Amino acid sequence: MKGNDIRENYLSFFENKKDHLRLKSFSLIPKDDPSLLLIGAGMAPLKPYFTGKVEPPKHRVTTSQKCIRTGDIENVGRTARHHTFFEMLGNFSFGDYFKKEAISWAWEFLTEVLKLDQSRLYVTIYPDDNEAHDYWHKMIGLPENHIYPLSDNFWEIGEGPCGPDSEIFFDQGEEFGTDPENQMGGDGDRFLEIWNLVFSQYDRQKDGSYLPLAKKNIDTGAGLERLAAVLQKKKNNFETDLFFPIIEEASKLSGVSYGQSAEGDVALKVISDHARAITNMIADGILPSNEGRGYVLRRVLRRAVRFGKLLGIQDAFMGQMIDVVIQMMKPAYPELVDKQAFIKKVAGVEEERFHTTLNAGCDLLSEMLEDTKKKQQTILSGDQVFKLYDTYGFPWELTNEIAKEQGLTIDEKGFEAAMAEQKERARAARAKVSAKVATPDTTKLDAKELTTEDKDGETKLLLLGQDGKEIVSAADGTEVTVVLKNNPFHAEGGGQIGDSGTIVGEEGTIQVEDTKKLPDGIVYVIGTVSEGIIREGETVTVTVDRVRREDIARNHTGTHMLQAALRRVLGDQVNQAGSLVLPDRLRFDFTWPEPLSEKQLAAVEQIVNEEILKATPVDIREMPIEEAKKSGAMALFGEKYGDVVRVVSIPGYSKELCGGSHVKNVGEIGSFRLLSEGGIGSGIRRIEAVTGKASYEDMKKDRALLREAAALLKGKPEQLAEKIEKTLAQMKDLERELDSLKQQQAKNELGDLMKDVQEKNGVPFFGAIVHAGNMDELRKAADVAKAKLSGGCFLLGAVCGDKVNLVGMASPEAIKAGVHMGKVISKAAKICCGGGGGGKPAVAQAGGKDPSKINESIAEGVKAIAEMIQ
C-alpha cells in the first residue's frame, strides 16, 4: 500500500465509517498560539476545540496534519525514523466518544483495513489507567504479555490539553534485534510505535498545573511514514515511497548510489527528509530569516545543501528536489502545485546565498585552524565555531569534520554554551512580543444567531471576557473581549487589520481597538473600557470608525492594484509573500531576486494611477471556490479558504479571493504613491505605498522640501536640478585640487618615513604611520609607497577619528620570499583592541578601535613581515 493510499484509507475510514468530519491539514504556522513556534503534532491546531472555549465544526474530526520538529535534527538520516517533516494521521473527539471507541476503532483500522498481523501488535498504557488495560485485554482480547504499563505514557506539548495515553507497537521481528532496549518504550527498532491514543482529560496551565477539562476528549496520532514502512516491509522510513523517489533523484545528481556507503546513505536520507520540510514550510508562508520559524527553515535548507556538497553536488539542486516532492505530494496537497514556482524561487535564492557564505566561511575556518596549530593547541574554541555558525551559517558538523581532517577537534561544550545564550536571547525577544488577548468560552453561544450586518446602532452585548474568562462587568481601564449579537466591525484577515470604533452602554464606553475572528467564525472585538461600567447582557450602541475603515479600504484595494501592476511590469513569476493593510499605508511583499529599477517603479506607479483615473466599479461576489479558481481569481498569500469564497475584481485589471474591506469604485482611492522598495530576505522584496489622503500629504511634504532646497541654492524649484549640477561640478573641482595636495603631502611624508626601510634576504620592508582622513586616502598613500619601494612590502597605519585603519602591500618578490600580507594585517589588527581584517598575499586592509595602540600594531606587523621572509 502506497503512502498516499494509506492516508486516504485512514481519512475515509473515519469519515465514512465513523462519522468524522475530514479537515484539510492546517498550516505549519500556529494560529493564535504564542506557546508554539511551529505545528509539531496533529492536535496542536485543534487546541481551542479541546479546551472547550470554541465550538468545533463537528465533535468528531479526522485529519492528516503536516508537522515540523527539529529538536533532534542531528539524528535525521542516522536512525530509521527521525524526521524534521512528517504527517500525523489523527482522529479526534471533542467531548463525544472516549477510550472504548478510540481503542476499538484503532484496532479495527489496523487489523481489518490495513490487515496487520494481530500477533505482532503490542500496546503500552499509563500504569494507573486500569480502564484502558481492561479495554485492551477484555474487549479486544489482547493477551497480558502484549500489554506493558509505562510511567511516561502521559502526553503533552506546551500549554493546553493533555492526559494519559496508550501507544500501539508493531513487532518488526527478531532481525531488528533482541536486546532489552528493543522493548516497548526503548530506543531500538524491533518494536515500532505506529499509533498513540491520547485520552485528553486535563488542561495544562502556564504555571505547570493541571486542571480537569470540562469534557473528555480523544486525540490520536498515527505516523504515516511509520505505517508505510511496516506495510511496505522496509527496514526504515526512508526506503518507502514517501522518501525514496527523492533519494533516487539526489543519487542521480551526485552519482552516489544508495547502499554504497553509510556516509552516503545518511546524506541522501537527510536531503530527502529536508526537501519535504523545505517545500511545505515555504508553501505555508515561512521565509528564510535569522530568527523564529524563518531560522528553522534556513537551518534545514542549509543543512540539506551541506549534505549535498558532501555527496559532491556543487551546483544548486534544491529546485529539482522540490519538483520531486511536489509530484509525490500533490494528490493530497494540490496547492503545492500552485505555489511550485514560488517555493523554488525562495529556496533557490537561499541556496545561492549559502553557497557564497559557505565559501567565505571556509576561508575564515582555514585561518582559525592555522592559528590554532601555531599556538600548539588541538581544540578549536567554541566561540570560534559559533562565530562561523552564526555569521556564515556554517554548520558546526562541517566545522568538526574539517577540523578532524587536520588533526583537531572542536570545543562542543563551548559551542553549545554560545548556542544556549543565543536561544535565551531569542526567547527573551519573543517574550517582548505582546501576547494575543485570550477569549472566554464561546461554546454557549449559537453562532447561527450571531450576525455581521454592516450597520451601526443598537445590539446586545452577549459575552464579556477578561484574560480568557467570562465576566459580568468591567470598569474603567479594563481591557476586555466582547461578542455582540450583531457585529458590524470587520475582523482582521488577509493582511488587513481589524476595525476600531466604540461600544456605548447605559453606564460606560468601550474604545474598540481591534477585531478578530475565532476558528468557528465568531467575530469578537478587543477594547478598553474608557469610562464607567459595561455589563454583560446589556443593550449597547455600536459605532464603527468609518473614516478609518475607508482609509483601510483604499489601501486594501490599492494592494490588489499594486500586485496586478507588478505582474504587468515584471511578469507572472511575481508571487505575493505577505501583506499588511493599515489606515495610513500599505505594505506588499513579493518574490523577486533583485532590486527594482527606478524605471520599473515609475511604471508600476503609473499603471495603478491610470487605472484609478478610469474610475472602474469594484465587483464583489461570492461563489464556490472551484468556480472562482476557474475564473482566474488569485488567492491571497497565507489565507485558508472555505468551499464558498468572496471574489474581489476590478474588471479587466485584477481578480483575487479576498474577504477584506474594499472601495466601491477605484476612483475613490484618489491617488497612489510608492514610498519605498527594498529587500527583506532571500529573494523577497517589500514595497510600501500610500493612497488617498496619505498620498496627498506625502505630495505636500515633497513640494515643501523642493521649495526649501531651491531656496537654499538661491533659485526656484524648476531650477533645482541645474543648480545642483553646477554645485556638484564645483565640488568635484575642489576635490581634485585637494586630492592633488594630499598626494603631494603623502609623497613628502613617505619620503621622510622611508629613510628607515629595513631589508632581509634582499627584500626591503617598512612600517609607518601617515596622515589620512579615511581608508580611501590611506590606500592612495599606499599606492605612492608601492611605486617608491621596488620589490618590497610595507604596512601603513592612520588614525581616522576614533578608529585605526591599516593597509599593507607586498610585491611578487616579497610574496615569493614568504610574505602573506593578509596574515600580517590580521596580526597587526589584533593589537588595536577588537580590530579585525584580512586579505590576500599581495594586498590587505583592516580596522581597529584603539588609536592609542597604533604604534604597537605597526611594530607587530613589521615583526611578522621579518619572520615570514625566508
Side-chain angles (χ1 to χ4, degrees), residues 502-628:
T502 59
I503 299 174
V504 180
E506 293 179 6
E507 300 177 50
T509 300
I510 298 174
Q511 293 295 329
V512 176
E513 295 144 11
D514 202 356
T515 308
K516 295 181 181 293
K517 183 184 289 187
L518 294 172
D520 59 359
I522 292 178
V523 177
Y524 67 98
V525 299
I526 301 167
T528 303
V529 181
S530 58
E531 60 179 58
I533 296 176
I534 289 288
R535 292 184 172 84
E536 185 176 87
E538 70 174 307
T539 299
V540 293
T541 301
V542 178
T543 306
V544 176
D545 186 338
R546 298 286 170 179
V547 173
R548 180 176 180 272
R549 183 193 279 183
E550 287 168 5
D551 288 337
I552 291 172
R554 291 187 186 96
N555 283 331
H556 203 150
T557 307
T559 303
H560 285 215
M561 298 179 77
L562 170 59
Q563 177 170 212
L566 283 167
R567 291 171 72 87
R568 288 191 183 188
V569 173
L570 303 178
D572 290 344
Q573 61 269 45
V574 168
N575 286 286
Q576 183 176 347
S579 67
L580 177 65
V581 180
L582 301 170
D584 59 332
R585 60 189 169 88
L586 65 91
R587 190 176 79 196
F588 185 76
D589 301 338
F590 60 100
T591 56
W592 194 250
E594 58 192 6
L596 273 65
S597 67
E598 287 298 324
K599 185 177 180 181
Q600 288 171 326
L601 290 170
V604 168
E605 190 175 74
Q606 182 176 342
I607 288 170
V608 175
N609 280 296
E610 285 179 351
E611 193 63 32
I612 289 171
L613 289 173
K614 292 179 183 177
T616 307
V618 176
D619 182 58
I620 300 176
R621 62 183 67 185
E622 291 187 348
M623 63 182 71
I625 189 165
E626 291 306 319
E627 182 184 336

Side-chain angles (χ1 to χ4, degrees), residues 306-307 310 354 357-358 360-369 372 378-412 415:
R306 193 272 278 196
F307 275 96
L310 292 179
F354 182 51
T357 58
L358 196 61
C362 283
D363 291 340
L364 181 58
L365 176 57
S366 296
E367 289 183 22
M368 289 178 175
L369 293 172
T372 302
T378 59
I379 301 175
L380 192 64
S381 77
D383 287 341
Q384 288 178 304
V385 177
F386 181 74
K387 180 181 178 183
L388 283 164
Y389 177 83
D390 193 45
T391 306
Y392 294 94
F394 211 74
W396 73 266
E397 302 100 325
L398 185 55
T399 302
N400 192 32
E401 289 165 12
I402 295 173
K404 281 182 179 178
E405 290 172 3
Q406 300 196 28
L408 303 176
T409 59
I410 67 170
D411 175 13
E412 288 190 38
F415 171 75

Side-chain angles (χ1 to χ4, degrees), residues 81-94:
R81 57 181 180 269
H82 276 97
H83 303 296
T84 54
F85 173 86
F86 58 94
E87 288 184 73
M88 189 64 74
L89 303 171
N91 57 286
F92 308 95
S93 166
F94 311 114

